[in-house]
Amino acid sequence: MTKDELLKGIIETIDPMDEITLDTEIAECDDLDSLGLFNIVMYLKSKGISVKLEHLAACTTVDELLDMVLES
Amino acid sequence: MKAQFNNVYIRAIAACSGKTLHNVAKTCQSFLDEKHAARLVKTLGFENVREVPLTMTTADMCVEIAKDVITRCNIDKDSIDALIFVTQTNDSVAPASVFVMQDKLGLSANCYLNNITNGCAGSVHGIFEGACLINAGVAKRVLVCFGDTYCKVKDIEDSDQKANAALFGDGAGVVLLEKQENCAPIYFNVQAHGNLHKVIHDTKHSDRVERLKKAAAQGLVDESALLPYQTKGIQIEGTAIASYAIDNVIPNVNDLLSLANLTKDDVALFLLHQANKTILKAVALSMDVPQEKIPFVAQNTGNTSSASLALAICESHEVTNRLKDGLTVLSAFGVGMNVASMLCDLSKTTVLEAKYF
């Protein structure tokens, strides 16, 4: 899966109210609160990717989150 | 704790909630803008939460619908061997609410009473307790009552977590259990994870806090000892609850199915505590079960704590009809943390229409 595909899948999953880009800061984005990140964990699980919620929450930006997922 | 009972029949289920509907999006606009209020509704799934009149307590609700069950099932009150009441919202510390309920229901002095403090897992926990009494041979008929007055709409100003107003509604439920030889077995899997006791907590009416305050006033402890208890209202770690559902509830349900030598395909309905829509969606995805088998039906009621399963059964025709399709798993989880699941056949159970006060 490419980074773009992953970002698209995540955006479709959480259906955000505000635009999400690679530069979006997770802590500042309401759509990426605990339940938003939880939904991302579930989406990744459906794609066979196992990531812990706390690891996603530790990322600063969406770009960092995607890199972390692709490396896992 | 796992158990199988072959002589316990779930004769009837009743539930109630409030007539007053609070529109969640509108309620949340007192502390969120319109866009974020809409987002909260979308995430949690509750469009409305229900509230009973302030003059009514959980015990009152249970007494009213217990009377309906007694009338509908045409049973002699003196034949009720035990009354179990599970709640976090007792009328008072002393006496326990169950004594007052015994009085109001006119139950025999020989009726065994048990007042249990538990939250969202309380319904199945209470049914398990009742089933144990029947299986032990000491009771033939048990009334299990449960619920909470947890609607937080009026507490918005007095809470650190205002979003709780978008979550909780008032509700109560009653289940009548009877001894019946060779009926369809009921399986239970009841687990507790006390190491997660901080995930949900509410220090209102806390003896520990009152004693610490006195100790601090007398200089026996430093004031800093009170810091963990200076929150207002119920505190919830949403992420931890969502993770609990995946990490503990699903394995609990899977172990329950193994106990019964069954698979998820043998179950017609997985009725989970209506914690919120996101969690139920996640459980369906994780268990690889179609969403319609793990329904979310509390959009106009709210998370009614231990009443949520009974309300789902009594309110939703979709759920009531599915009970007749085959076996049902009821799984309740929450504060403690704890999870209590049961596998049963409710196809012949009398389901009373939900009542609203």
Side-chain angles (χ1 to χ4, degrees):
Chain A
M1 191 184 267
T2 67
K3 199 183 241 188
D4 280 343
E5 284 167 346
L6 188 55
L7 178 61
K8 189 175 171 214
I10 284 172
I11 288 172
E12 277 173 8
T13 296
I14 60 175
D15 190 18
M17 296 205 132
D18 299 316
E19 192 192 10
I20 289 181
T21 67
L22 293 176
D23 296 326
T24 299
E25 293 198 9
I26 291 168
E28 301 301 318
C29 177
D30 290 334
D31 294 301
L32 294 171
D33 65 0
S34 56
L35 278 179
L37 292 179
F38 178 74
N39 276 328
I40 293 172
V41 169
M42 290 295 108
Y43 164 71
L44 293 172
K45 195 178 171 103
S46 74
K47 298 292 174 194
I49 303 170
S50 182
V51 176
K52 284 190 178 294
L53 181 60
E54 46 266 38
H55 293 164
L56 293 187
C59 297
T60 309
T61 63
V62 169
D63 193 30
E64 192 182 318
L65 184 150
L66 296 176
D67 284 340
M68 194 264 295
V69 169
L70 289 168
E71 281 164 20
S72 66
Chain B
M1 179 175 282
K2 296 187 182 84
Q4 175 183 343
F5 300 125
N6 299 320
N7 58 354
V8 179
Y9 172 51
I10 300 173
R11 172 103 182 259
I13 299 175
C16 66
S17 185
K19 269 190 189 152
T20 299
L21 279 168
H22 294 289
N23 180 276
V24 170
K26 206 168 157 184
T27 301
C28 290
Q29 280 171 47
S30 67
F31 57 91
L32 292 173
D33 62 44
E34 193 178 330
K35 188 171 78 168
H36 289 100
R39 190 178 154 278
L40 193 59
V41 171
K42 188 181 160 198
T43 305
L44 296 178
F46 303 111
E47 292 169 27
N48 296 290
V49 295
R50 288 184 178 274
E51 186 179 26
V52 296
L54 284 173
T55 48
M56 203 163 197
T57 66
T58 309
D60 292 335
M61 283 195 275
C62 287
V63 164
E64 288 309 307
I65 56 175
K67 285 178 183 172
D68 291 342
V69 167
I70 290 168
T71 302
R72 176 78 172 264
C73 296
N74 196 26
I75 59 176
D76 178 1
K77 286 185 284 188
D78 286 342
S79 72
I80 297 171
D81 299 309
L83 174 64
I84 295 170
F85 181 45
V86 190
T87 190
Q88 300 169 110
T89 45
N90 277 292
D91 280 15
S92 59
V93 170
S97 302
V98 74
F99 294 98
V100 179
M101 292 165 72
Q102 179 202 27
D103 181 31
K104 288 186 175 177
L105 287 170
L107 303 182
S108 158
N110 295 318
C111 180
Y112 169 74
L113 307 179
N114 194 358
N115 208 111
I116 299 172
T117 300
N118 201 345
C120 301
S123 56
V124 179
H125 180 176
I127 293 169
F128 176 67
E129 294 271 342
C132 287
L133 291 173
I134 291 175
N135 192 64
V138 297
K140 291 195 175 100
R141 191 169 266 154
V142 180
L143 256 184
V144 182
C145 303
F146 40 81
D148 274 313
T149 45
Y150 245 43
C151 181
K152 300 298 179 196
V153 170
K154 289 190 170 56
D155 297 337
I156 285 178
E157 295 308 318
D158 202 32
S159 172
D160 294 335
Q161 290 199 349
K162 300 187 191 306
N164 289 337
L167 188 60
F168 293 113
D170 296 335
V174 168
V175 169
L176 176 64
L177 302 176
E178 291 183 343
K179 180 174 178 170
Q180 193 179 97
E181 295 302 340
N182 302 315
C183 60
I186 302 179
Y187 301 87
F188 286 91
N189 189 7
V190 179
Q191 292 179 291
H193 301 91
N195 56 309
L196 298 172
H197 66 271
K198 289 183 182 172
V199 169
I200 304 174
H201 62 277
D202 187 350
T203 54
K204 197 164 64 168
H205 309 309
S206 164
D207 192 50
R208 180 179 293 282
V209 172
E210 293 312 307
R211 291 172 71 81
L212 270 179
K213 281 179 184 170
K214 286 175 187 166
Q218 291 174 33
L220 299 171
V221 297
D222 189 74
E223 289 280 344
S224 61
L226 286 164
L227 283 175
Y229 306 105
Q230 281 171 353
T231 52
K232 290 194 293 180
I234 182 169
Q235 306 296 308
I236 301 173
E237 288 179 35
T239 316
I241 295 170
S243 296
Y244 186 80
I246 303 305
D247 297 337
N248 293 290
V249 175
I250 293 176
N252 176 281
V253 169
N254 286 334
D255 284 351
L256 177 72
L257 292 174
S258 298
L259 178 67
N261 286 317
L262 295 173
T263 70
K264 61 188 179 191
D265 296 327
D266 298 311
V267 176
L269 174 68
F270 290 91
L271 190 58
L272 266 61
H273 165 54
Q274 306 284 287
N276 66 60
K277 192 175 183 179
T278 297
I279 286 179
L280 264 58
K281 203 169 144 186
V283 168
L285 179 65
S286 287
M287 286 183 71
D288 194 21
V289 166
Q291 191 71 65
E292 56 266 24
K293 272 176 85 166
I294 306 187
F296 176 75
V297 295
Q299 51 269 49
N300 287 316
T301 307
N303 175 338
T304 51
S305 184
S306 53
S308 86
L309 295 181
L311 265 168
I313 290 170
C314 297
E315 267 193 325
S316 165
H317 292 141
E318 174 199 341
V319 169
T320 317
N321 290 338
R322 251 189 202 266
L323 299 181
K324 301 191 191 324
D325 290 346
L327 295 174
T328 297
V329 165
L330 302 178
S331 185
F333 54 94
V335 59
M337 300 285 290
N338 66 147
V339 49
S341 304
M342 57 189 284
L343 171 71
C344 52
D345 177 356
L346 296 175
S347 61
K348 297 179 181 56
T349 299
T350 300
V351 175
L352 281 74
E353 192 88 10
K355 201 165 181 172
Y356 301 97
F357 297 105

